[in-house]
Amino acid sequence: MNHFANILSVNNILLDINVTSKKRAFEQAALLFENTQGIPRATVFDSLFSRERLGSTALGHGVAVPHGRIPNLTKPAAAFMRLSNPIPFDAPDNQNVGIMVILLVPENATQEHLEILASLAKTLSNAETREQLLSLDDPEAIYDLFTQQ
């Protein structure tokens, strides 16, 4: 997933975030993207929440990949959030989610969007990778794990 290195930065990796719901998690993600990429938090939140209303972005095994299309975004952007306490996410396996990879893409990035999602799903389906994401305490190490896949 080397192309992931271009859309994820160490600054967009948050560990052990204390949230109690999807809404609160999306608020944290929106604030992060506003602070690191200058994307208005309301735009990020609305995009993520609108997509989630179409169906859960949880993959199972405690993982979700919330994603949304952002007007005027020129290239995809990503963030990683590990939650201190897993939250309900309407996952197919009914497991609460503790690992979130948030993906924002330009409005017209259909093929690229799908390729990134497929690559993420493959990486996150690996049990060893999930265990490392839950145990690593250094954002640099998590960044390296994603970008060296």
Side-chain angles (χ1 to χ4, degrees), residues 9-80:
S9 72
V10 174
N11 292 335
N12 278 13
I13 296 174
L14 298 178
L15 302 178
D16 304 322
I17 300 302
N18 189 15
V19 296
T20 55
S21 66
K22 281 187 204 184
K23 181 179 178 186
R24 298 289 177 244
F26 291 170
E27 287 170 349
Q28 287 292 317
L31 183 61
L32 176 67
F33 282 110
E34 182 175 73
N35 290 336
T36 60
Q37 263 91 19
I39 305 167
R41 74 178 83 172
T43 301
V44 174
F45 179 84
D46 291 346
S47 178
L48 294 175
F49 215 77
S50 293
R51 168 54 190 88
E52 200 67 26
R53 277 196 292 260
L54 299 174
S56 178
T57 55
L59 304 178
H61 303 287
V63 175
V65 184
H67 50 281
R69 296 178 186 279
I70 304 294
N72 303 315
L73 191 66
T74 57
K75 67 176 194 139
F80 173 84

Side-chain angles (χ1 to χ4, degrees), residues 1 4 8 13-17 59 61-65 79-84 98-101 120-147 149:
M1 192 177 356
F4 205 61
L8 178 68
I13 296 174
L14 298 178
L15 302 178
D16 304 322
I17 300 302
L59 304 178
H61 303 287
V63 175
V65 184
F80 173 84
M81 286 177 37
R82 182 174 68 206
L83 308 181
S84 56
I99 295 172
M100 293 175 56
V101 178
L120 273 173
K122 181 179 178 188
T123 297
L124 296 168
S125 69
N126 182 298
E128 184 178 324
T129 299
R130 289 192 309 272
E131 284 300 316
Q132 288 179 298
L133 291 171
L134 289 170
S135 64
L136 292 170
D137 287 325
D138 177 26
E140 286 277 352
I142 287 176
Y143 176 81
D144 290 344
L145 181 64
F146 275 113
T147 58
Q149 294 289 319

